[in-house]
Amino acid sequence: DVKVTQSSRYLVKRTGEKVFLECVQDMDHENMFWYRQDPGLGLRLIYFSYDVKMKEKGDIPEGYSVSREKKERFSLILESASTNQTSMYLCASSLPSRGVPQHFGDGTRLSIL
Amino acid sequence: AQTVTQSQPEMSVQEAETVTLSCTYDTSESDYYLFWYKQPPSRQMILVIRQEAYKQQNATENRFSVNFQKAAKSFSLKISDSQLGDAAMYFCAYRGQGGSEKLVFGKGMKLTVNP
């Protein structure tokens, strides 16, 4: 089975801090994604990557950056955390084919105080 | 841009009964994929079922089946013989022809299963 592991299940940070959310997958997937999940808004794509060192902006990239130095690892970075970035963050990975499903991690519930 | 609409934010069903979750989408593409994902309280999103737009036959997976109406741009999920473990958030998602391979999600629907 595909395993997508997010480094933290819960995280509390302070406004202005630089925050790193880590995601690792073990199935050699080319594609990796970061989503943000908020009640009543569903999942919204922040960034995705289709190869090492490659990235593309999703629908809500403002205030975020990403890093993919190795194929299995995709990091989401909040450069200067703000309270409106308090949310659930989900990482996903998939093969590079439209018909295959994305596999998700367990999510990180991030609170910015 | 494609959009996915789940008009019912919450539903409930009695154990062992059947429930249908609705989803509509808007697209100008002719070839695409549709998915239903389940997110239980444990939080991990799990694929329930998927449908390829060029296949007229509705997808089925055990107790889960879809009613795919391409002309109406409707993609409903039917859960038969509902079980307590079916209680979760359900998300409908669309993936189109574009190179980004990203999913467009609906806002989700919370399903409660009553014993």
Side-chain angles (χ1 to χ4, degrees):
Chain A
D1 277 352
V2 176
K3 184 70 175 177
V4 179
T5 303
Q6 294 185 230
S7 55
S8 303
R9 195 161 171 86
Y10 298 93
L11 201 57
V12 180
K13 295 291 183 180
R14 296 213 172 269
T15 303
E17 281 192 67
K18 190 169 186 176
V19 180
F20 293 85
L21 302 184
E22 306 287 345
C23 175
V24 177
Q25 51 96 1
D26 66 357
M27 282 301 291
D28 205 35
H29 285 170
E30 283 79 1
N31 294 344
M32 295 190 75
F33 307 82
W34 274 107
Y35 293 92
R36 172 175 171 160
Q37 182 179 5
D38 298 288
L41 297 178
L43 277 73
R44 294 177 292 168
L45 182 66
I46 305 172
Y47 267 98
F48 70 97
S49 169
Y50 51 89
D51 202 349
V52 175
K53 297 190 185 295
M54 306 302 289
K55 62 185 180 184
E56 285 197 25
K57 293 180 180 179
D59 299 316
I60 51 166
E62 296 78 19
Y64 303 94
S65 63
V66 291
S67 172
R68 193 163 180 204
E69 296 296 319
K70 293 185 178 180
K71 191 174 185 179
E72 67 271 19
R73 185 180 297 271
F74 191 36
S75 303
L76 179 69
I77 304 158
L78 286 66
E79 297 290 344
S80 178
S82 64
T83 55
N84 63 12
Q85 292 177 310
T86 291
S87 186
M88 172 78 79
Y89 291 87
L90 293 171
C91 175
S93 73
S94 75
L95 291 169
S97 172
R98 290 188 302 118
V100 300
Q102 293 182 11
H103 298 267
F104 286 81
D106 287 344
T108 295
R109 190 172 295 280
L110 175 64
S111 296
I112 307 296
L113 304 179
Chain B
Q2 294 81 19
T3 58
V4 176
T5 302
Q6 294 178 252
S7 56
Q8 301 154 302
E10 292 191 45
M11 292 184 74
S12 63
V13 64
Q14 291 297 126
E15 197 175 3
E17 293 189 348
T18 296
V19 64
T20 299
L21 286 58
S22 64
C23 173
T24 59
Y25 57 95
D26 187 26
T27 184
S28 58
E29 297 175 325
S30 59
D31 185 20
Y32 48 86
Y33 289 83
L34 296 163
F35 303 83
W36 277 100
Y37 279 88
K38 167 186 176 181
Q39 186 181 41
S42 63
R43 297 186 344 201
Q44 186 175 33
M45 296 276 282
I46 303 164
L47 177 70
V48 175
I49 200 165
R50 64 178 168 179
Q51 175 79 41
E52 300 169 63
Y54 62 86
K55 287 190 176 179
Q56 296 201 358
Q57 186 173 5
N58 289 325
T60 62
E61 287 287 342
N62 301 314
R63 297 183 295 107
F64 299 88
S65 61
V66 299
N67 183 5
F68 173 50
Q69 302 288 330
K70 191 172 183 179
K73 296 179 183 175
S74 171
F75 181 59
S76 60
L77 175 69
K78 186 172 81 170
I79 305 174
S80 303
D81 186 25
S82 297
Q83 300 175 0
L84 295 177
D86 295 332
M89 287 289 296
Y90 285 82
F91 292 91
C92 180
Y94 170 101
R95 178 184 284 175
Q97 296 172 307
S100 69
E101 298 177 14
K102 70 176 187 179
L103 288 173
V104 177
F105 284 88
K107 294 182 179 181
M109 193 224 68
K110 182 179 180 180
L111 178 67
T112 301
V113 180
N114 300 310

